[in-house]
Amino acid sequence: MPERTPERIARIREVLSRRQPDLTVLLENVHKPHNLSAILRTCDAVGVLRAHAVNPTGGVPTFNETSGGSHKWVDLEVHPDIRSAIAHLKGQGFQVLAAHLSEGAVDYREADYTRPTAVLLGAEKWGVSEEAAALSDLHIKIPMMGMVQSLNVSVAAAVILFEAQRQRLRAGMYERPRLDPEAYQRLLEDWLKR
Ligand code: SAM
């Protein structure tokens, strides 16, 4: 078990007090370990507490060194299919914003990320499925001005999540703990063992 030094306890407390339990990503069949790892690393940086995924193989997603160890600090909940994943998130009051280059998509900066928000990202090759697109509350897009139609999924995730961070910083959402005291304490004990 790692040592409980005052510095480590203080660091973990500091990070937990900035975690945003109402901001998350939902990864639909994003399967390349380096993409998953890079997305989790961004999640850690903006304060996502728990990420969600539907895995094409049905198994537990794999990470590599690209994560920088962040998969240790961002829990990943794996759902059996996209319909139940979206139902689960909506049941918890999340709006689901599909990063999806559809006709009706709005500029990602127009969305309100201070609301409980799940950003849905699609598979490397096929993008967001029709089913997931139909079940989402809004489609958002990062405007593309070049020859290539889309960004790498981990880059798209970073662009959108840092907009969410920008809006939440402005709204003071990182200034005090967003976790309820019980959850904060439980996570503190858990993280100290990691
Ligand atoms: N051919 C796929 C398609 O038509 O959607 C491209 C998939 S893209 C490589 C993987 C994922 O990254 C997309 O499903 C989307 O979630 C996200 N993405 C990439 N570029 C984006 C953009 N400009 N705006 C919004 N999301 C984007």
Side-chain angles (χ1 to χ4, degrees):
M1 185 161 345
E3 241 188 293
R4 290 193 176 208
T5 60
E7 293 75 20
R8 188 161 194 270
I9 295 171
R11 174 95 182 111
I12 287 178
R13 279 188 176 282
E14 200 187 338
V15 172
L16 274 178
S17 69
R18 291 191 294 248
R19 279 295 195 248
Q20 306 284 304
D22 57 354
L23 177 65
T24 191
V25 290
L26 170 56
L27 311 177
E28 185 186 23
N29 299 341
V30 175
H31 66 281
K32 293 187 179 165
H34 65 271
N35 285 334
L36 279 165
S37 302
I39 293 170
L40 278 223
R41 193 164 178 161
T42 299
C43 284
D44 176 60
V46 304
V48 168
L49 181 69
R50 173 176 293 118
H52 297 261
V54 172
N55 201 20
T57 64
V60 178
T62 44
F63 304 98
N64 65 16
E65 65 288 348
T66 313
S67 88
S70 56
H71 61 278
K72 205 166 128 184
W73 307 110
V74 180
D75 293 336
L76 184 70
E77 192 168 340
V78 182
H79 300 265
D81 55 70
I82 195 66
R83 179 171 286 275
S84 61
I86 292 178
H88 172 80
L89 288 163
K90 285 192 173 179
Q92 293 187 350
F94 284 82
Q95 61 170 344
V96 177
L97 306 183
H100 185 45
L101 289 153
S102 66
E103 280 283 303
V106 302
D107 187 305
Y108 74 104
R109 288 160 287 208
E110 286 175 28
D112 178 1
Y113 300 91
T114 62
R115 290 175 53 193
T117 300
V119 177
L120 167 68
L121 294 139
E124 287 87 349
K125 193 160 183 185
W126 308 111
V128 169
S129 68
E130 273 180 37
E131 185 181 23
L135 291 168
S136 299
D137 297 299
L138 183 69
H139 295 176
I140 53 172
K141 65 175 179 206
I142 302 161
M144 304 289 292
M145 311 291 178
M147 293 289 286
V148 180
Q149 266 182 340
S150 66
L151 294 168
N152 167 275
V153 63
S154 68
V155 174
V159 169
I160 295 165
L161 286 173
F162 275 95
E163 169 63 12
Q165 188 208 56
R166 188 190 70 80
Q167 291 187 15
R168 284 174 174 242
L169 274 168
R170 202 174 47 180
M173 294 171 80
Y174 290 93
E175 282 166 20
R176 61 198 73 82
R178 307 280 324 291
L179 289 158
D180 66 61
E182 209 178 296
Y184 181 97
Q185 203 52 42
R186 189 169 28 81
L187 282 163
L188 178 63
E189 282 306 318
D190 179 31
W191 282 30
L192 283 167
K193 294 183 200 127
R194 293 187 188 185

